[in-house]
Amino acid sequence: GALGARFRDGALCVRNGRRFDIVSTGAGLPSMAVMTMLDDRDGNLWLGTAGGGIVRVRDGRLESSLLTDTTSDDMVYALAEDSDGNLWSSAADGVHCIAPDGHLMGKILVPETVSNLCFGGRAKHQLYITATTSLYAITLNRIGVQRP
């Protein structure tokens, strides 16, 4: 899988197999404010940014602004993956479910700004959502992927 780490000077170091790649806004990263990272089952590294939407790093290459149209304000604070490879993202209007090919499958509208989300519960089919003043729990027909 991939591993990412941020540096003070604004570069992001991404491990791709045995090599490390340095990515920055000059290399196509739309925002250096990376809020969250997710290593998916296919070895891609997903970056949720403040102001640049969601970016996928695949085989050491940035697919910049891949999913900016799926988030309401391009602010992404949290990412999660389900067992079908779908990406679940926080957004200004709630939670967005994004297919592995990048298209928006649907939204869970929340009346507050979503700050975090994760799958949980005994069967891992509960989606827990933290928002400005509330905690929400929704039972889904998807199973969340949890890695140590």
Side-chain angles (χ1 to χ4, degrees):
L3 172 72
R6 289 182 281 182
F7 299 112
R8 264 190 345 187
D9 65 358
L12 178 70
C13 182
V14 178
R15 185 184 75 199
N16 181 28
R18 294 180 182 232
R19 74 173 198 270
F20 284 87
D21 298 312
I22 305 295
V23 295
S24 66
T25 53
L29 191 61
S31 170
M32 284 313 303
V34 176
M35 306 304 290
T36 185
M37 294 185 263
L38 175 82
D39 187 15
D40 74 12
R41 67 183 183 176
D42 296 325
N44 299 307
L45 181 65
W46 295 89
L47 307 173
T49 68
I54 301 171
V55 177
R56 177 170 43 201
V57 179
R58 184 192 313 214
D59 299 324
R61 291 198 165 97
L62 285 172
E63 296 179 0
S64 64
S65 303
L66 178 70
L67 302 171
T68 55
D69 293 339
T70 64
T71 55
S72 303
D73 64 356
D74 294 337
M75 299 290 285
V76 180
Y77 298 108
L79 296 170
E81 181 184 19
D82 69 26
S83 59
D84 295 325
N86 299 313
L87 196 65
W88 296 77
S89 168
S90 64
D93 61 351
V95 176
H96 296 186
C97 181
I98 303 158
D101 68 2
H103 80 274
L104 179 64
M105 294 177 57
K107 297 180 181 184
I108 299 171
L109 300 178
V110 177
E112 304 173 83
T113 300
V114 173
S115 58
N116 206 347
L117 57 91
C118 71
F119 284 96
R122 186 169 282 204
K124 307 298 184 247
H125 67 285
Q126 292 283 123
L127 183 66
Y128 294 98
I129 303 166
T130 60
T132 306
T133 62
S134 305
L135 171 65
Y136 300 89
I138 300 172
T139 302
L140 301 173
N141 63 356
R142 301 278 190 247
I143 297 171
V145 173
Q146 295 189 339
R147 293 183 179 86

